[in-house]
């Protein structure tokens, strides 16, 4: 790492290194990222089209799923094309303004997705605990309020990141050892006291992903308590099956974050390239897998997908 003895003023152009230490494998990574991008686009557009055209799916659970698909599409759109530019065209330069823009939108969409998963957990909680009042609890007004709250929180939590970064005056280097403009990756190459930036980064994780995960666990604890009090095994199995796809998505979304945090708490120091790969998994894998999970495990979606496939074969 360069020393601050030879610091430079805030550069107008940064250099994204991609995945340092695995430069020879950038070609293979590019193929994987491209396939993930294509599958994500096709899968989420299919989900949106099915929900849009089938009026019977205009229920809270599927409207939240449609919102999740929109956010997933936005997330991969602001992430993958830049990565592919690095891997395929060696387009590593990124302007300060573009870097700050990416620094805002990528975590914003990630925080929004976490909020949507919490809203979906609340949806399942209301459906199982208050089945007779479910449609009145989660009416259109409530869904709009939830969506606005998710958007407002993401903007409020992430907006300080580019503002604080803009105030950094001296840097050790203009090379960012990452495949995108991550806030902490930029902060780590700055000179001077960065303790406030580290505290802010931790606050973002706790106030978004941490709180969401806590309430999701609470929701599903209450859901399981209600389900296991149902006398009929068939009704109990049906109730659990409605939550299965959501639990799969939650596990996939939060497991990289939990693994990363636990590894740091336990003092396990990962190789830098491994940390970057895991961080990329935050943003790439859930948007790809979400539509596949819901299409496979949700009865209504599965039937509609099969109908679409049968129509195309004919």
């Amino acid at each position: 790492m360069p020393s601050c003895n030879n610091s430079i003023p805030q550069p107008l152009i940064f250099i994204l290194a991609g995945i340092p230490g695995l430069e020879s494998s950038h070609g293979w990574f590019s193929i994987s990222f491209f396939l993930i991008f294509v599958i994500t686009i096709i899968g989420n557009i299919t989900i949106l089209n099915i929900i849009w055209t089938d009026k019977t799916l205009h229920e809270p659970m599927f409207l939240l799923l449609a919102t999740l698909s929109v956010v997933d599409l936005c997330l991969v759109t602001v992430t993958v094309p830049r990565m592919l530019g690095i891997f395929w065209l060696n387009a590593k330069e990124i302007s300060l303004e573009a870097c700050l823009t990416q620094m805002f939108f990528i975590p914003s969409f990630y925080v929004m997705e976490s909020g949507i998963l919490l809203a979906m957990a609340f949806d399942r909680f209301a459906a199982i605990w208050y089945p007779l009042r479910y449609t009145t609890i989660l009416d259109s007004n409530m869904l709009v309020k939830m969506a606005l709250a998710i958007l407002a929180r993401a903007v409020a939590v992430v907006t300080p990141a580019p503002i604080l970064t803009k105030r950094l005056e001296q840097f050790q280097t203009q090379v960012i050892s990452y495949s995108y403009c991550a806030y902490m990756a930029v902060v780590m190459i700055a000179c001077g006291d960065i303790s406030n930036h580290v505290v802010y980064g931790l606050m973002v994780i706790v106030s978004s992903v941490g709180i969401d995960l806590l309430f999701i666990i609470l929701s599903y604890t209450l859901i399981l308590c209600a389900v296991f009090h149902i006398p009929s095994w068939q009704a109990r199995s049906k109730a659990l099956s409605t939550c299965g796809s959501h639990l799969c998505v939650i596990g996939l979304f939060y497991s990289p974050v939990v693994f990363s945090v636990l590894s740091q708490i336990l003092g396990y120091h990962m190789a830098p390239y491994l940390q970057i790969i895991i961080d990329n998994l935050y943003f790439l894998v859930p948007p790809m897998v979400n539509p596949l999970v819901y299409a496979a495990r949700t009865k209504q979606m599965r039937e509609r997908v099969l109908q679409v496939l049968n129509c195309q074969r004919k």
Side-chain angles (χ1 to χ4, degrees), residues 116-128:
I116 293 169
L117 291 178
L118 174 58
M120 296 175 81
F122 176 72
D123 166 77
R124 292 299 83 205
F125 168 78
I128 291 177

